[in-house]
Amino acid sequence: MMMKRIGITILFLAAGVFSGCNKLLEIEPHGKQTTATFFTTPATARQGLIAAYKALQSNYRTNYPGYVRWVFGDVCSDDTRANGGDNPDMIQVEFFTANATNPFYENAWSTLYQGIHAANIVIDKAPGVKGMEEDTKKVYVAEGRFLRAYYYFNLVQIFGGVPLMTKEMLTDYNIPRNTKEEIYRQIEADLLEAEPVLPEKSAQDKADYGRATKGAAQALLARVYLMQGKFTETETWTKKIIDSHQYSLDPVYYHNFTIDGEYGAEAIFEINFQYDARFYDEEGSGDGDGRTRGPLSYGWCYDNPTQDLVDAFEPGDPRKKATVYKTGDVLPDGTIGNTGTSATGYLCTKYLILKNEMPDQPKSSGKDQIVFRLGHILLWYAEAANENGHAREALQVLNQVRARAREGNAQILPDITVTDKEKLREAIWQEQRVEYATEVFRFYDLVRTKRAAKVLNDFAKKYNSQKGASFKAGVNEIFPIPQSQINLSQGVLLQNPGF
């Protein structure tokens, strides 16, 4: 099954991360030798740990098509379009017409299981490393658990129930699917084990930016609970983050999405990229989002914001300009926007590479990808608090997010005052849409709140578009299991209903 694929790539995962170069793929892989020699010294253990983070960096640019988070989280929603037509595989995913052989499904599956396999090795091997301090071993295991939880969370959101593997190596590759509920239980267990061990953000050295922290585990756990509709637990864990005082809202919203703003006051967890001119076009050397989602002058213009998203912003909301732009707009670095062949006439400002951030060869950049920030947490807390009957607390944090968005302009974005539970719920959902638009949450928010079919079907009718027209309730909330994996399992893996 997928572990056959993992077995031939683990050497690259373990070593290739250091060079930013994929030439190690030319070396004959030796999976057993790798796991035997890794985790024998503190130095090789650190290499193995870094390998477990490697799958995070998979994206459209680094290993086409990779695991492209934004295709599932944004393009499949009403917030963005794929593009004008030069990638039929992506458009089929967007329109919910792709079959189980689509490479976006295959690469999401294989990439995430590569990450799980590497994390399992860390969890299994780190405790036995000679010469390593016991506290360091515990942190390594906690990071492995965090990463395994993150990878499984992505899998369960995309495919539903999947095979659960918590051991380093397998002898039987024909493993049936576990239920969605069983996967969630494992995710929760891993995070509850990891959270007490991981360091606070304030205790993290700059050299360790990008590694999991206590706040990252809390944020992921809160999102896991929210996806399941467990509002009591969501409120508890988001409140832990808020009360930790480790994070604060950046007073300038757009600053979060610049290289200068990385690991800033609001940042909880980011996927780390480092630009290196020596390896500008190699796997793992930099983030490809600036090219794939950025301006036409050096990009392919994917993930195009829709008019529906643009219209969702209230008049004067500075987040609109920080999120989308059209041809002729003055961009944050003073250049004039050109959206070129965008399918909608808009591109994502958040993924723009500013002139002062522009690498020599802009196929990749050192711009990190935000996974969790305080702005997300506050709105998830607001939603959970409202569902739990705590309207006052929900309003307080909801208006805190809106106050930051004003950036000192009292004439815009007035405080929300409604306390009716259903009306406040709608206000929170609306704020979530504009606060973290194009940050890979929208489709999953629609699914978890059971709005996906109505919102996407209505979008198709409103805009006379294929987008959303083929979405079927009870089917398209998840995606098909890759046919290649079903074939490798000799039919043990069962396909999702409707595919």
Side-chain angles (χ1 to χ4, degrees):
M1 205 174 63
M2 80 297 297
M3 288 298 293
K4 294 179 181 178
R5 189 177 305 274
I6 292 169
I8 65 170
T9 57
I10 191 63
L11 178 61
F12 168 65
L13 287 173
V17 68
F18 300 104
S19 67
C21 175
N22 63 7
K23 290 184 171 55
L24 284 172
L25 289 174
E26 300 170 2
I27 298 174
E28 182 68 17
H30 300 286
K32 292 183 180 179
Q33 179 182 353
T34 299
T35 55
T37 56
F38 268 46
F39 293 94
T40 56
T41 67
T44 58
R46 181 174 174 83
Q47 292 175 358
L49 175 66
I50 295 173
Y53 282 88
K54 179 65 180 176
L56 294 174
Q57 293 181 316
S58 174
N59 60 36
Y60 192 89
R61 177 72 203 118
T62 57
N63 55 332
Y64 173 83
Y67 166 43
V68 192
R69 297 188 309 132
W70 48 266
V71 169
F72 296 98
D74 291 336
V75 170
C76 288
S77 78
D78 54 339
D79 274 2
T80 70
R81 289 288 316 276
N83 187 272
D86 68 341
N87 192 314
D89 291 329
M90 189 188 298
I91 292 170
Q92 288 167 13
V93 175
E94 174 188 9
F95 289 169
F96 300 96
T97 58
N99 62 33
T101 64
N102 189 284
F104 283 92
Y105 305 146
E106 171 65 39
N107 282 275
W109 180 282
S110 60
T111 298
L112 292 167
Y113 270 110
Q114 287 170 12
I116 289 165
H117 182 64
N120 284 340
I121 294 174
V122 174
I123 295 165
D124 182 61
K125 296 291 186 182
V129 177
K130 296 180 179 179
M132 180 182 284
E133 294 183 1
E134 290 301 315
D135 286 348
T136 302
K137 293 178 184 179
K138 292 176 182 178
V139 172
Y140 276 32
V141 171
E143 288 182 78
R145 289 188 179 277
F146 169 84
L147 290 167
R148 183 167 69 186
Y150 177 82
Y151 296 135
Y152 266 121
F153 183 50
N154 280 261
L155 280 168
V156 77
Q157 287 185 113
I158 297 169
F159 300 111
V162 294
L164 178 61
M165 287 174 279
T166 59
K167 300 297 182 183
E168 173 199 344
M169 299 296 288
L170 297 172
T171 57
D172 181 5
Y173 302 125
N174 301 333
I175 303 175
R177 298 172 64 177
N178 290 76
T179 65
K180 177 178 68 174
E181 291 74 20
E182 288 170 334
I183 299 300
Y184 272 120
R185 282 200 295 272
Q186 181 62 50
I187 293 169
E188 292 171 10
D190 274 340
L191 292 171
L192 289 170
E193 287 271 354
E195 186 268 344
V197 180
L198 292 170
E200 293 279 16
K201 178 181 178 178
S202 58
Q204 194 174 48
D205 292 335
K206 187 174 182 180
D208 291 328
Y209 285 173
R211 292 175 64 178
T213 61
K214 184 182 296 292
Q218 292 170 342
L220 179 53
L221 189 55
R223 182 67 186 180
V224 166
Y225 285 134
L226 186 63
M227 279 297 297
Q228 299 175 84
K230 296 181 176 181
F231 294 113
T232 299
E233 293 87 346
T234 304
E235 184 176 3
T236 296
W237 285 94
T238 49
K239 187 92 165 40
K240 284 179 182 288
I241 298 170
I242 295 166
D243 290 347
S244 73
H245 303 295
Q246 293 285 311
Y247 311 95
S248 60
L249 292 175
D250 193 310
V252 179
Y253 176 79
Y254 181 69
H255 187 242
N256 285 300
F257 309 102
T258 64
I259 290 179
D260 183 65
E262 290 173 356
Y263 304 107
E266 189 165 342
I268 298 176
F269 187 62
E270 300 182 4
I271 298 174
N272 194 314
F273 290 91
Q274 181 174 354
Y275 171 71
D276 190 326
R278 296 172 299 168
F279 306 115
Y280 74 88
D281 198 19
E282 300 290 354
E283 180 169 344
S285 64
D287 176 18
D289 275 1
R291 180 173 173 86
T292 55
R293 305 166 84 182
L296 182 67
S297 59
Y298 52 89
W300 294 313
C301 293
Y302 294 129
D303 200 18
N304 307 155
T306 62
Q307 188 64 52
D308 202 70
L309 171 60
V310 173
D311 293 343
F313 289 91
E314 294 171 56
D317 189 341
R319 293 173 297 188
K320 176 180 174 181
K321 186 176 181 180
T323 303
V324 303
Y325 69 91
K326 63 183 184 301
T327 296
D329 284 352
V330 179
L331 302 179
D333 57 5
T335 60
I336 304 301
N338 174 12
T339 58
T341 59
S342 166
T344 64
Y346 298 100
L347 286 179
C348 299
T349 316
K350 290 178 180 178
Y351 306 102
L352 174 71
I353 303 175
L354 303 179
K355 285 176 67 176
N356 67 305
E357 300 173 345
M358 182 81 70
D360 297 328
Q361 299 285 346
K363 293 183 179 181
S364 297
S365 80
K367 194 167 187 173
D368 291 353
Q369 294 178 8
I370 294 172
V371 178
F372 298 122
R373 56 182 178 84
L374 185 61
H376 307 155
I377 300 304
L378 292 175
L379 292 177
W380 298 340
Y381 172 79
E383 181 178 354
N386 181 55
E387 296 300 331
N388 293 332
H390 305 147
R392 181 178 63 85
E393 292 84 351
L395 278 173
Q396 181 179 4
V397 295
L398 173 61
N399 286 321
Q400 184 180 347
V401 172
R402 290 174 66 82
R404 185 273 295 276
R406 290 186 203 113
E407 297 181 4
N409 184 352
Q411 304 305 310
I412 60 173
L413 301 174
D415 278 356
I416 303 294
T417 58
V418 61
T419 56
D420 175 80
K421 187 173 186 177
E422 292 187 6
K423 292 180 180 178
L424 182 52
R425 179 190 298 134
E426 293 288 340
I428 293 167
W429 285 348
Q430 161 64 18
E431 199 67 26
Q432 289 172 347
R433 186 181 189 187
V434 295
E435 168 67 23
Y436 52 73
T438 73
E439 293 181 53
V440 200
F441 293 113
R442 176 63 174 174
F443 177 72
Y444 303 120
D445 278 351
L446 293 177
V447 169
R448 69 177 179 79
T449 57
K450 298 177 173 57
R451 293 178 290 157
K454 177 172 173 49
V455 167
L456 290 167
N457 292 163
D458 287 352
F459 183 98
K461 295 173 184 175
K462 180 177 180 179
Y463 297 100
N464 191 27
S465 171
Q466 288 181 269
K467 184 179 182 67
S470 296
F471 188 97
K472 298 181 181 66
V475 174
N476 295 118
E477 289 84 359
I478 54 178
F479 300 88
I481 301 295
Q483 187 60 45
S484 63
Q485 301 300 325
I486 293 174
N487 294 344
L488 285 169
S489 75
Q490 300 179 13
V492 172
L493 275 181
L494 300 179
Q495 185 55 272
N496 282 322
F499 296 102

